[in-house]
Amino acid sequence: MQQLKIFTFFVFISFLCLSRTFAQSSSDSTHSYWKASVDYLSNAVYNGRKDSAVLPYITPIIGYYHKSGLYFSASVAYAAVANENRIDYFSLDAGYNFSIQNFSGDVRANKTFYNAQSTAIKSDIKGGIGADLSYDFNFLQAGISADVIFDNKTDIAFNTNIAHAFSWGTENRQWSITPTLAANFSSLYFYEGYTNRRVGKAIKKINPNVVSVKSTTLVPNPGITLLDYEASLPLMYDAKKWGIAFTPTYAIPMNKIETTTTTTYTLKNRTTYTITNNTTPASEKHLANSFFAELTIYFKF
């Protein structure tokens, strides 16, 4: 509850900033526009965590960006997995971008609908609200973000980052590269949901006599935890009406997440029994660094 109060205060302060900046310098854009893009993500890594199988996404996105800073978008993610090609999730997003002098920020809301067959670490997440704020010191930019994430239980997440942008080219054909270092913190209820789904699927595959499975997964210490450090190198080319962006990222996971699952099995003969096991995935017991990349092509109209 204390964590939620802290986040609510943070969002409230952000909205106060927005109300003041709206009349002054709410957006860098002088006109409204639509933006259509296609995004390719080589692997769905979340806070340094990933499923045992590589999960690449191809994601078409359509969004409207008003000159005031308001925006909304919709996307559909196609999981390009061999023999398992499927639409993995739909996402709806809305928010408000603002900037004034050296400050810039964003307040946003998201609603996500995951496929029941998804193996993504984020597959238990149903949406969230968040805000971020950054300050440009000229020699570097420092930022912080906070999110309330809705899954079976509510998670609180924070991100801190520093970056420096190098830009060159003309106004209508501009290149930029932005070395970035970030740290991600979150409470761990999202991992309970992911592990719970994973355990249920595995049991049904290996035991044909099981007709139903009811399981509950718990993380012994689910409070806010440092989950990973990330180093990324976003490269962008913007020609005003279209552009391309490429972001390679190296993630270093921290602090192993232990999970315990209590499962009740119902067999074909209607017999039931309950077992409690340590269900920490092998990938979590032996944390490994991850490299993944994202490529985006977009058009404005």
Side-chain angles (χ1 to χ4, degrees):
M1 180 62 68
Q2 184 64 27
Q3 295 169 347
L4 186 58
K5 288 180 179 178
I6 292 172
F7 178 80
T8 302
F9 176 76
F10 179 84
V11 172
F12 176 70
I13 292 299
S14 296
F15 272 109
L16 287 180
C17 292
L18 292 180
S19 65
R20 296 189 65 178
T21 58
F22 187 88
Q24 300 177 57
S25 180
S26 61
S27 174
D28 291 335
S29 178
T30 58
H31 62 281
S32 306
Y33 61 91
W34 288 86
K35 183 178 179 180
S37 61
V38 177
D39 181 276
Y40 174 75
L41 179 65
S42 64
N43 194 11
V45 178
Y46 178 62
N47 288 341
R49 272 66 187 177
K50 57 192 175 185
D51 190 67
S52 55
V54 175
L55 180 58
Y57 282 138
I58 299 173
T59 308
I61 307 166
I62 183 71
Y64 178 71
Y65 298 81
H66 192 266
K67 60 185 179 180
S68 67
L70 294 170
Y71 67 88
F72 67 86
S73 66
S75 61
V76 53
Y78 177 78
V81 182
N83 302 319
E84 292 187 32
N85 296 342
R86 64 178 179 270
I87 292 176
D88 214 48
Y89 69 81
F90 296 93
S91 181
L92 299 174
D93 295 87
Y96 179 80
N97 287 315
F98 67 93
S99 62
I100 177 171
Q101 296 180 354
N102 288 8
F103 284 99
S104 63
D106 176 79
V107 175
R108 57 191 175 275
N110 164 268
K111 176 62 179 174
T112 306
F113 307 87
Y114 270 94
N115 190 315
Q117 301 304 312
S118 177
T119 60
I121 298 293
K122 297 173 64 175
S123 56
D124 197 53
I125 293 176
K126 300 173 179 63
I129 56 174
D132 62 59
L133 186 68
S134 65
Y135 185 83
D136 189 347
F137 291 94
N138 295 321
F139 63 95
L140 63 79
Q141 298 81 46
I144 184 170
S145 69
D147 291 89
V148 173
I149 300 170
F150 304 120
D151 35 51
N152 286 334
K153 300 175 184 178
T154 301
D155 275 313
I156 306 295
F158 296 92
N159 167 282
T160 60
N161 61 81
I162 56 173
H164 181 74
F166 300 90
S167 302
W168 67 96
T170 64
E171 182 179 355
N172 292 323
R173 291 183 177 84
Q174 188 167 73
W175 289 87
S176 67
I177 187 168
T178 311
T180 304
L181 297 175
N184 293 303
F185 304 78
S186 178
S187 53
L188 307 177
Y189 296 119
F190 74 91
Y191 205 76
E192 290 183 348
Y194 159 74
T195 304
N196 208 46
R197 290 163 61 110
R198 184 176 177 274
V199 168
K201 292 175 187 176
I203 291 170
K204 290 180 180 179
K205 282 184 178 180
I206 65 177
N207 192 339
N209 292 319
V210 174
V211 294
S212 70
V213 178
K214 292 183 179 179
S215 57
T216 302
T217 298
L218 296 176
V219 173
N221 299 296
I224 293 176
T225 303
L226 170 63
L227 290 181
D228 79 328
Y229 296 109
E230 295 184 4
S232 60
L233 195 65
L235 173 65
M236 177 178 288
Y237 173 73
D238 184 10
K240 296 305 179 183
K241 291 297 183 181
W242 73 279
I244 186 168
F246 176 69
T247 304
T249 301
Y250 189 71
I252 304 172
M254 306 295 292
N255 298 317
K256 179 175 64 176
I257 305 172
E258 296 275 356
T259 55
T260 301
T261 302
T262 300
T263 307
T264 299
Y265 304 85
T266 301
L267 305 181
K268 289 182 178 179
N269 62 6
R270 299 301 174 186
T271 301
T272 63
Y273 62 97
T274 300
I275 295 177
T276 298
N277 291 315
N278 184 315
T279 51
T280 307
S283 60
E284 194 65 29
K285 292 178 180 178
H286 308 285
L287 291 174
N289 300 344
S290 299
F291 176 81
F292 58 98
E294 188 171 16
L295 176 66
T296 303
I297 300 175
Y298 63 87
F299 298 90
K300 298 178 182 180
F301 51 96

